[in-house]
Amino acid sequence: MTSPAAPVDLSNCDREPIHILGAIQPIGFLIALTADWLITRASANTKDFIGLAPSDLFGRPLQDIFTPKAVHDLRNRATLLRGRDAVERIFDCVFIEGGQAFDAAIHFSGGQVIIEAEPASGEHGDATGMVRSMISRLDQTADFASFYKEGARQVRALLGFDRVMVYRFAPDGSGEVVAEAARSGIGTFMGLRYPASDIPAQARELYRRNLLRLITDVNAVPVRILPERDESGQPLDLSLSLLRSVSPIHIEYLRNMGVGASLSISIIVDGKLWGLFACHHYSARRPTFERRSVSELFAQMFSMRLESRERKETVEYERRARDISDQLLGAVASDETLLKDPDWLGDILTHAIPADGVGVWLGGNHAFSGATPSHEDFRRIVRALNGTAAGRVFATDHIGSILPGADAFASGAAGLLAIPISRSPRDYVVLFRKELIHSVRWAGDPHKPVEYGPNGPRLTPRESFAEWKELVEGHSRPFTASEIRVAETLRATLIEVVLRLADEASAERQQSSARQELLIAELNHRVRNILGLIRGLIRQSQPSGGDITDFVSVIDGRIHALARAHNQITDDHWGPAPLQALIDAEAAAFVDDHDRIVVQGEPVHLNPNAYSTMALVVHELVTNSNKYGSLSADGGRVVMGWHRNAAGDLVIEWRETGGPPVTPPKRKGFGTTIIGRSVPYDLGGSAQIDYDPKGLHAVFRIPARHLSEPRGVPEGKPIKYPRPAVGHPQAVPDAVLAGHDILLVEDSLIIALDAEDIAQRLGAASVTTAATVEGALEFIDSNRPTVAMLDINLGDRNSYPIADRLAELDIPFIFATGYGEQAQPPVEHRGRLIVQKPYTLENVARAFDNLVEPVAETTD
């Protein structure tokens, strides 16, 4: 039983020892010398060229065979050899006295000197001028396509082959004919592609080291090199040989193409094999040694020009990309929200790197612009990138290579370039390219099965070179190396922006935290002061006798005076408030005829502390006048005026006229204490009280440091205070909640009791209070109210779920909050009435009057 043959694949060619074939082509001969120039090897055909067989040469010094001048010229050329792959040439050299002239090449191989020679052509043209003229024509081309085409034309004109192609290698190793100059009538290979296996790996390496490869006749019989192996058993390495024989596999390959002779000249760009000038002739052809040398020089100049053009294009492209990067940095620096705007970001980035869509993944959130995968597919791509990209720019023309199932969305996004812009877990800006469905024109089926052939256990070249088309799907246009470099630049810019924004956000958080701590401390201070002030007001106002109702009324009035002052100074975020507003508020609270209190003075603003102090002072003055002074009698009135003295202090004068005779108080109550001592004690000013029998006369001096200049008040125009002050005893809508069942949601028991009392005074049929969201919702479902008032803030929650339920049931309601008009309910509840705390009969009544109609009570 025989074992099956080993699998045959295109990698068999990669193992073909094409550089140690042990033979040369018969157009010339070869001699190998030791380091001291003794002949050790020779091709079997030396007698045909120099009249001596190899056996007559071995072991002899070269100077015994060649003329002294030939040896001298060869040694001089050998001294010029620099580098591992150097080859030197010499023309019209006579080796044997009276013999023919040869064109020769000399190089080193494995410590030996290799001399190759072929009969001289006798051509002695102006090689320098020829190459200069050829390059001049190249330089006149406008674009790469015409540059390649002109290169092929120049080589064909120089060497005379039937077909000259410019063959460019793709990143995957396959090659494409990008330009062609050919004799008419032989068809075209333009645009055809060849699999990477057509030029095996070791052949590519030889093309990089040895720039010119000539095959003069595919039917020629190779000439052996004798001896085949040296004393150590090693064959001669012919990597740099100009006459090296041809692999039988390659000979069969050329025969299958119908080619009789070929010549390849390497195009090296940036130290890498960019492509070839591939020359085909359909019969044997041997260009002269000189023309081959000129063509090699031209190919080197062509490579340099090509590299220059590519670099110029790359530099210009990357310059534009840097400009875009600077534009990106500058724009985001002034508006950081642009980083989250995919349309703007996509427009910027696709000007640098062409793409069909952009996806942004930032902190687990996504944004799309253009053609992109779905959100879920994008999430899967990001997960795949986290395991693939390793924190660097990652590009692929086939997303399916990193993500199973990507073919499902390949029509919209087949390739991607991912730019990571943060550390793990990573954020990305991802550019997507659509699927590029194109037909690849192969010179024969690259997947065609192969079998063992006449060359033994090696690959038989495919016999068919007919054009074969393959539809390539699921791939996009690849991202170029330049585009990836630009992406790295953009990555650095984006990371700089992100890090700077992160630093700014961190600094802002620290500042906000510090401000919050300061505000909390200030709030605690003010709350303690307010509580202390109210406690003091209650204790100092405690009467020695009398009705408790009068006591409550006095306390209520004084606290409302403070509330009205607080309302004014918080209108401008705890800023100065106008003295005129304070007087208007107190006048409105106690006097029906505003003309009975006459105000004289220029507009002036008091700072918050002074404003609160004067609120209590004016409240006590108005209250006492209303009870005992001029405002208690018909026709009595008060004149209140103010002016600045020479020191800039504010001097306020209160004078009453037309009232009952005034006598000094027999007992000094708390109200009198407030009037006489508040300004000196709290503000460092002065107070003078004169109990003139004709009417009370008081003068107060407030130091200039407590004053502020009015802002934004045009000269000659009166000051307007459109917002009513808290606590005005204005006309209250009568029984506005009559017949209504009201739900009050309030988390403070004391405030809830106060609100319940107000609702009952407004005629509510029933009042139910709730302190939690759950309690309120349970009541709504079991005992549906007809109206409700909801405190917005309920501890660590809010009342918006209750509002949603009431809105569903079409039950009218109002909000209540200490923030007042500054509160910002959700969009669905914008426009709802808001009552500002503290609750008063007036503001609650006014709000419900605008909201509901009284319900007529029914009787049985």
Side-chain angles (χ1 to χ4, degrees):
M1 180 177 178
T2 59
S3 60
V8 179
D9 57 46
L10 294 174
S11 68
N12 289 68
C13 280
D14 288 343
R15 296 189 289 273
E16 185 74 18
I18 59 176
H19 61 300
I20 51 173
L21 295 174
I24 63 171
Q25 297 178 63
I27 61 172
F29 69 93
L30 179 147
I31 293 176
L33 312 171
T34 63
D36 53 359
W37 290 64
L38 297 177
I39 299 173
T40 59
R41 285 178 172 170
S43 59
N45 62 350
T46 54
K47 189 172 184 178
D48 298 336
F49 293 98
I50 59 175
L52 295 171
S55 58
D56 299 327
L57 301 176
F58 296 147
R60 298 176 62 182
L62 185 64
Q63 58 264 33
D64 290 353
I65 308 300
F66 287 2
T67 65
K69 184 179 185 309
V71 174
H72 175 269
D73 291 343
L74 288 170
R75 280 184 175 273
N76 281 346
R77 286 293 175 179
T79 62
L80 298 178
L81 292 172
R82 294 290 185 271
R84 172 172 172 256
D85 299 331
V87 177
E88 285 293 324
R89 295 172 174 82
I90 186 170
F91 298 91
D92 287 331
C93 185
V94 177
F95 292 151
I96 305 298
E97 195 70 43
Q100 69 180 113
F102 290 91
D103 294 333
I106 184 170
H107 70 275
F108 294 132
S109 176
Q112 298 182 343
V113 180
I114 308 299
I115 298 173
E116 299 176 277
E118 57 185 273
S121 64
E123 291 184 348
H124 298 288
D126 181 7
T128 303
M130 185 182 301
V131 172
R132 185 167 55 246
S133 175
M134 296 168 72
I135 295 300
S136 176
R137 289 178 177 271
L138 277 180
D139 289 342
Q140 295 175 21
T141 57
D143 52 33
F144 280 104
S146 56
F147 180 83
Y148 303 147
K149 175 69 174 177
E150 186 60 32
R153 289 181 64 248
Q154 295 293 322
V155 172
R156 182 166 184 264
L158 179 65
L159 299 177
F161 278 81
D162 289 334
R163 186 193 308 276
V164 175
M165 299 167 284
V166 176
Y167 184 79
R168 179 176 60 192
F169 291 116
D172 63 0
S174 63
E176 180 183 6
V177 179
V178 296
E180 181 183 49
R183 174 171 57 85
S184 61
I186 61 172
T188 179
F189 288 173
M190 180 65 184
L192 288 181
R193 293 187 65 173
Y194 295 81
S197 57
D198 273 19
I199 302 180
Q202 82 277 25
R204 293 169 191 262
E205 177 60 17
L206 286 181
Y207 280 131
R208 192 186 64 80
R209 296 184 60 196
N210 192 348
L211 301 185
L212 190 143
R213 173 63 167 145
L214 172 67
I215 302 173
T216 60
D217 186 354
V218 299
N219 297 313
V221 178
V223 177
R224 306 300 302 172
I225 296 174
L226 304 173
E228 183 176 341
R229 297 181 181 274
D230 61 14
E231 65 278 4
S232 62
Q234 296 299 317
L236 184 62
D237 186 341
L238 297 175
S239 295
L240 301 180
S241 170
L242 302 183
L243 299 178
R244 185 180 74 244
S245 184
V246 189
S247 161
I249 292 179
H250 191 52
I251 290 293
E252 188 171 351
Y253 184 93
L254 293 174
R255 284 174 176 166
N256 290 343
M257 295 183 71
V259 173
S262 74
L263 184 143
S264 299
I265 316 171
S266 303
I267 302 173
I268 307 294
V269 173
D270 200 21
K272 298 177 182 178
L273 184 63
W274 182 94
L276 301 169
F277 283 107
C279 308
H280 288 172
H281 205 71
Y282 293 97
S283 60
R285 181 167 184 78
R286 182 176 72 90
T288 65
F289 195 87
E290 182 186 35
R291 285 186 175 262
R292 286 167 12 223
S293 299
V294 171
S295 69
E296 183 178 349
L297 177 59
F298 170 76
Q300 290 176 301
M301 296 298 294
F302 179 91
S303 299
M304 292 173 62
R305 287 294 201 275
L306 175 58
E307 182 173 345
S308 175
R309 285 190 175 217
E310 287 188 342
R311 285 189 175 179
K312 182 178 179 181
E313 184 180 71
T314 299
V315 166
E316 177 60 23
Y317 167 68
E318 294 183 1
R319 184 197 62 77
R320 293 197 308 270
R322 282 194 301 273
D323 291 343
I324 292 171
S325 177
D326 292 342
Q327 178 185 353
L328 172 66
L329 184 61
V332 176
S334 60
D335 184 2
E336 62 186 58
T337 61
L338 291 175
L339 192 61
K340 300 178 182 179
D341 183 345
D343 293 325
W344 179 86
L345 194 59
D347 185 58
I348 286 287
L349 295 181
T350 53
H351 272 78
I353 305 172
D356 300 302
V358 174
V360 180
W361 185 271
L362 211 58
N365 298 316
H366 75 285
F368 291 141
S369 176
T372 63
S374 67
H375 173 214
E376 184 55 37
D377 288 329
F378 190 36
R379 184 186 299 274
R380 292 171 59 220
I381 289 172
V382 168
R383 285 199 297 265
L385 289 172
N386 285 338
T388 303
R392 299 187 61 81
V393 169
F394 175 81
T396 178
D397 66 342
H398 181 45
I399 299 177
S401 64
I402 63 168
L403 185 69
D407 292 343
F409 56 82
S411 59
L416 65 79
L417 186 147
I419 306 175
I421 57 173
S422 69
R423 298 180 177 89
S424 182
R426 298 189 186 98
D427 297 327
Y428 294 93
V429 174
V430 183
L431 306 182
F432 292 101
R433 284 181 176 173
K434 292 181 178 180
E435 181 179 36
L436 180 65
I437 301 179
H438 59 283
S439 179
V440 178
R441 300 171 60 224
W442 294 98
D445 186 348
H447 310 301
K448 182 179 178 180
V450 292
E451 299 174 353
Y452 281 91
N455 295 307
R458 291 177 297 191
L459 186 68
T460 298
R462 50 184 157 77
E463 297 177 355
S464 171
F465 283 86
E467 180 181 317
W468 183 82
K469 293 185 179 181
E470 177 185 22
L471 194 65
V472 180
E473 297 178 325
H475 290 255
S476 70
R477 183 166 60 84
F479 291 91
T480 66
S482 292
E483 290 170 340
I484 294 174
R485 285 196 299 272
V486 167
E488 290 286 1
T489 301
L490 292 172
R491 173 177 177 266
T493 298
L494 289 169
I495 286 182
E496 179 182 350
V497 169
V498 170
L499 290 179
R500 188 180 65 193
L501 293 179
D503 290 342
E504 291 175 355
S506 177
E508 180 63 27
R509 282 194 297 270
Q510 292 177 356
Q511 293 174 2
S512 297
S513 178
R515 286 196 301 268
Q516 186 177 28
E517 291 178 1
L518 182 63
L519 288 173
I520 290 173
E522 177 66 17
L523 178 63
N524 287 335
H525 169 72
R526 290 184 181 178
V527 168
R528 284 193 294 268
N529 279 351
I530 290 172
L531 292 175
L533 177 61
I534 293 175
R535 182 170 176 269
L537 284 175
I538 293 172
R539 293 186 63 184
Q540 295 299 323
S541 302
Q542 182 177 358
S544 57
D547 188 2
I548 191 67
T549 304
D550 294 336
F551 171 66
V552 171
S553 177
V554 169
I555 291 297
D556 184 66
R558 288 170 177 167
I559 291 176
H560 271 121
L562 289 175
R564 288 192 289 270
H566 182 82
N567 191 37
Q568 294 296 337
I569 60 182
T570 55
D571 265 351
D572 195 17
H573 302 284
W574 201 256
L579 177 60
Q580 178 78 52
L582 186 154
I583 298 168
D584 287 348
E586 292 302 325
F590 293 96
V591 182
D592 293 333
D593 184 0
H594 292 181
D595 292 337
R596 298 184 66 191
I597 298 181
V598 179
V599 177
Q600 298 172 345
E602 295 296 323
V604 64
H605 280 56
L606 301 180
N607 291 339
N609 288 341
Y611 197 90
S612 297
T613 297
M614 287 305 298
L616 282 175
V617 171
V618 173
H619 172 73
E620 293 301 328
L621 287 169
V622 173
T623 301
N624 288 341
S625 181
N626 196 55
K627 287 182 178 181
Y628 315 112
S630 61
L631 296 180
S632 66
D634 293 338
R637 68 175 190 164
V638 174
V639 176
M640 185 176 181
W642 58 83
H643 66 276
R644 299 279 189 103
N645 64 14
D649 298 340
L650 184 68
V651 178
I652 302 174
E653 185 175 2
W654 174 279
R655 184 181 295 277
E656 298 184 19
T657 60
V662 175
T663 59
K666 297 179 180 180
R667 185 181 65 83
K668 199 170 185 179
F670 184 52
T672 303
T673 301
I674 290 175
I675 294 172
R677 296 183 60 184
S678 291
V679 172
Y681 187 90
D682 290 340
L683 306 181
S686 62
Q688 297 176 359
I689 313 299
D690 180 14
Y691 295 96
D692 185 343
K694 297 179 181 179
L696 180 71
H697 180 214
V699 178
F700 305 94
R701 181 183 59 83
I702 300 176
R705 65 179 180 273
H706 296 294
L707 309 180
S708 293
E709 294 299 327
R711 293 175 297 173
V713 181
E715 186 176 353
K717 289 192 175 181
I719 304 175
K720 295 182 178 180
Y721 308 102
R723 187 168 125 185
V726 176
H728 288 184
Q730 297 171 355
V732 177
D734 184 39
V736 67
L737 291 178
H740 281 286
D741 299 315
I742 184 171
L743 169 65
L744 299 176
V745 181
E746 171 60 63
D747 62 340
S748 170
L749 175 61
I750 300 300
I751 298 176
L753 292 175
D754 191 34
E756 183 177 353
D757 179 60
I758 290 174
Q760 289 172 346
R761 291 170 62 187
L762 293 176
S766 67
V767 181
T768 301
T769 59
T772 65
V773 173
E774 292 75 16
L777 293 176
E778 183 178 349
F779 175 77
I780 291 171
D781 291 338
S782 60
N783 301 283
R784 185 171 301 182
T786 59
V787 71
M789 182 165 67
L790 313 179
D791 182 15
I792 291 179
N793 297 297
L794 302 175
D796 58 352
R797 301 184 64 183
N798 57 55
S799 61
Y800 297 139
I802 307 171
D804 294 339
R805 181 60 176 153
L806 292 172
E808 289 177 9
L809 299 174
D810 201 23
I811 297 174
F813 64 91
I814 61 177
F815 285 120
T817 177
Y819 293 105
E821 298 168 358
Q822 296 174 353
Q824 293 293 327
V827 174
E828 57 268 26
H829 295 303
R830 296 279 168 84
R832 297 280 184 184
L833 290 173
I834 298 177
V835 171
Q836 178 172 305
K837 292 183 179 182
Y839 297 129
T840 66
L841 183 67
E842 293 86 355
N843 63 6
V844 173
R846 193 176 302 108
F848 277 118
D849 188 49
N850 292 327
L851 182 70
V852 299
E853 293 290 337
V855 178
E857 295 189 17
T858 60
T859 58
D860 294 335

